[in-house]
Amino acid sequence: TLSISPGIFIMFFIYHSDEYDKEPVWLLATCFILGAINLHFDVDILEFVFSYINVENNFLRVGGEALTVSITEEMLKFIVVFLIIFPNKSFDEPFDGIVYSVFVGMGFATAENITYVLQGSSSVAFFRMLTAVPAHFAFAVIMGYYLGKAKTCKLGKKWFYVFLSLFVPGIWLGGVATLGVAILFARMAIIEHLEASPFKNKS
């Protein structure tokens, strides 16, 4: 329950925050499933990369591995949202970027949680509920914020926002110390894109 409920709560929250033009449930389910499948690719990629990391200094080794994990996770989530969901006609307002990114992120986080809990204990699930899951949520919102702007802006700025959707979350992948800032940004991103919905005045 501890491993699954945080992701479900966050998806429920973000789905009902989409006030003006809700996304198809089948497409959201696809995002969640693809996010969960990403964990399998993440493990395979990391095993390959770590086999080439041979640093004697433990601090540098652990730091390099942590950075590699963060970059790989964000890249895999980005690939799903940008290559598979971004072209879909249902992606038709800025807030959609946040919705789809969060569902992909929660699919990954939930699968990761279940894996950790099966290997550990309830204390692991509780710790991740307070740290890893909010981090996945906040970084997914930030990524989705910029993808939402890329989808709805003028063509000249599209690739600039696509770049920011990867670069800006990357700035905050340093650890838990930045989580509060990321959550604050996530909150502002949600509010801004809801206000920008072309369907707002039709509801």
Side-chain angles (χ1 to χ4, degrees):
T1 302
L2 283 173
S3 64
I4 297 173
S5 56
I8 292 176
F9 173 79
I10 288 173
M11 288 186 292
F12 182 84
F13 164 74
I14 211 72
Y15 178 78
H16 285 279
S17 295
D18 190 4
E19 301 176 8
Y20 310 115
D21 182 44
K22 293 192 182 301
E23 305 313 301
V25 173
W26 70 267
L27 193 54
L28 295 176
T30 300
C31 288
F32 181 84
I33 292 169
L34 291 175
I37 292 173
N38 264 351
L39 179 64
H40 172 73
F41 293 114
D42 186 49
V43 171
D44 289 344
I45 293 170
L46 292 176
E47 285 182 353
F48 175 78
V49 172
F50 289 165
S51 67
Y52 287 91
I53 296 179
N54 185 21
V55 180
E56 293 184 2
N57 186 299
N58 286 333
F59 179 77
L60 292 177
R61 180 177 56 79
V62 173
E65 290 180 357
L67 184 61
T68 304
V69 168
S70 301
I71 293 173
T72 305
E73 289 180 0
E74 294 306 309
M75 281 296 300
L76 287 171
K77 286 185 279 188
F78 172 82
I79 288 170
V80 170
V81 181
F82 184 66
L83 295 184
I84 299 176
I85 307 301
F86 193 84
N88 193 286
K89 64 180 181 180
S90 294
F91 194 147
D92 55 7
E93 63 172 323
F95 190 67
D96 292 353
I98 293 176
V99 176
Y100 291 124
S101 295
V102 167
F103 271 74
V104 172
M106 289 304 101
F108 186 98
T110 302
E112 191 178 40
N113 274 0
I114 293 172
T115 302
Y116 274 107
V117 170
L118 291 176
Q119 296 174 350
S121 64
S122 58
S123 59
V124 175
F126 182 76
F127 178 74
R128 289 183 56 79
M129 182 174 66
L130 299 177
T131 56
V133 176
H136 277 295
F137 166 69
F139 297 141
V141 169
I142 295 168
M143 180 182 290
Y145 169 77
Y146 286 110
L147 287 177
K149 293 182 81 70
K151 181 73 174 184
T152 55
C153 74
K154 294 180 180 178
L155 186 60
K157 290 186 176 181
K158 174 182 176 180
W159 292 108
F160 172 69
Y161 286 127
V162 170
F163 167 75
L164 288 180
S165 72
L166 268 176
F167 177 74
V168 175
I171 295 174
W172 289 322
L173 289 175
V176 178
T178 60
L179 182 56
V181 179
I183 290 176
L184 179 61
F185 189 103
R187 179 177 178 275
M188 293 188 296
I190 289 171
I191 293 172
E192 180 179 329
H193 274 352
L194 282 174
E195 290 298 317
S197 173
F199 303 100
K200 180 179 178 180
N201 296 326
K202 296 179 182 180
S203 61

